[in-house]
Amino acid sequence: MAHRPDCRGIVITHGTDTMEETAYLLDLTVEGDCPIVLTGAMRTASDPGYDGPANLLSALRVAASPQARGLGAVVVMGEEIHAARLVTKVHTLSPATFQSPFWGPIGRVEGEEVILHRRLPRQPCLSPESLEERVLLIKLAVGMDDGLLRYAVEWGMRGVVIEALGGGRVPPWWMPTIREAVARGVALVIASRCPAGLVYDRYGYAGAYRDLKEAGVLFADGLTGPKARLKLMAALGAGLEGEALRQALITVER
C-alpha cells in the first residue's frame, strides 16, 4: 500500500507495549515517501480521559499532511510526533509515556496544524526475505556471568545483541566467550543500556570499547537493545555479512 501513487499516508493503531519496535521495523524496511503513522491509547474506553480518539485524530492529520512526506515511520501520541528510531516507552501508565530521550519530538499537532521542528535523515532500507529469528538480546547488569552468551554460541544463534554498560563496556571475564562467538561466525553487536549516546570510550582496559572493537564485534550507535536486535534480524534476513553488515548497523556517521 505504501507504494501506491494515490497513498498519502498510512495510520496503524497498535498496542503501546511494542509500538516502538513495530515503528522502527517499518522504518527500516518500507521505502518511499508515504508516511507511516503509528498510534494507540494508554487509557481504555471506560477510563476517564480516554486518549484513543484524540491520538487517532492527530495521527490522521499527520498522515495526511504534505509535511510528513518522506518522514518514514513515526509514532504520534499526545499530540507529539516522534521518530521511530528515537522513540521509546518510558512509563507503564502515563499517557505521556512515549518520549525521545535527549532529542525530544520531531514535531507536534496543534489544533488542525501539523508542525515539524526537524527531520531525521532516512537511512537505506533493508529488504529481508524474512527476519532472522535466531537473534538473542542480553542486557548486562553488575556481576553477571557469560552463561547466556555461551548458550547463544552453543545453540547456534546467528546473532547476539548485548546491551553493554556505559559507552560500550562488558566485564573482562566476558571477553574469551565474545572472541569465541565472533570466531564461530556469530554476529555480535554491542548497544548501550543507556538511553542515548554513542557506543564509544577512550578506556584501554579489558572489556572496554577498544578491546571489543579489536575482537571484531559490531556496534549499534544510538539504538536501544530491542531496536538493535530488530535491525540485526532484518540485516541477517537480507543476507548481509562482513562489511555490508557493519555498514547496515551504522546509525550515526562519525
Side-chain angles (χ1 to χ4, degrees):
M1 181 178 290
H3 301 293
R4 285 173 42 176
D6 61 341
C7 181
R8 292 181 58 185
I10 297 171
V11 173
I12 299 173
T13 56
H14 198 290
T16 58
D17 286 345
T18 57
M19 185 187 296
E20 65 195 78
E21 290 168 85
T22 298
Y24 186 58
L25 181 61
L26 291 169
D27 197 57
L28 281 176
T29 57
V30 180
E31 294 183 305
D33 291 333
C34 182
I36 303 174
V37 183
L38 284 84
T39 193
M42 285 299 294
R43 292 175 176 162
T44 68
S46 59
D47 288 335
Y50 174 41
D51 55 336
N55 287 335
L56 181 57
L57 180 58
S58 292
L60 289 166
R61 284 176 171 155
V62 172
S65 172
Q67 293 188 72
R69 300 290 293 177
L71 278 184
V74 296
V75 169
V76 174
M77 293 280 288
E79 299 180 336
E80 293 183 340
I81 307 167
H82 290 271
R85 190 196 317 167
L86 303 176
V87 69
T88 191
K89 186 176 182 178
V90 300
H91 195 282
T92 57
L93 298 174
S94 171
T97 183
F98 283 95
Q99 303 290 326
S100 298
F102 293 93
W103 295 99
I106 61 171
R108 292 188 56 83
V109 179
E110 299 193 6
E112 297 182 0
E113 298 296 321
V114 174
I115 301 171
L116 283 184
H117 305 312
R118 66 183 188 279
R119 290 174 173 269
L120 265 64
R122 292 293 306 275
Q123 296 184 313
C125 282
L126 299 170
S127 300
E129 293 186 6
S130 62
L131 296 180
E132 173 55 66
E133 296 181 356
R134 292 171 295 166
V135 177
L136 185 67
L137 172 62
I138 301 173
K139 183 167 186 171
L140 280 184
V142 65
M144 281 181 62
D145 69 21
D146 62 352
L148 287 174
L149 183 57
R150 283 187 277 109
Y151 161 83
V153 174
E154 293 166 4
W155 285 86
M157 291 291 175
R158 290 281 318 280
V160 176
V161 174
I162 298 176
E163 267 199 0
L165 310 174
R169 296 181 281 279
V170 303
W173 55 87
W174 280 58
M175 289 308 301
T177 308
I178 285 174
R179 293 189 179 95
E180 180 187 354
V182 173
R184 291 175 63 168
V186 178
L188 205 153
V189 177
I190 298 292
S192 174
R193 70 177 194 175
C194 297
L198 296 177
V199 180
Y200 177 75
D201 63 40
R202 297 182 182 275
Y203 301 120
Y205 56 76
Y209 172 83
R210 283 188 287 181
D211 201 21
L212 290 164
K213 187 175 181 180
E214 290 172 1
V217 306
L218 306 169
F219 298 95
D221 286 322
L223 292 179
T224 62
K227 289 180 183 176
R229 176 177 174 268
L230 275 176
K231 195 167 194 180
L232 182 57
M233 292 170 72
L236 292 174
L240 301 185
E241 57 185 17
E243 179 62 15
L245 180 59
R246 188 189 73 81
Q247 288 291 332
L249 288 166
I250 293 175
T251 56
V252 179
E253 295 292 343
R254 305 196 197 182

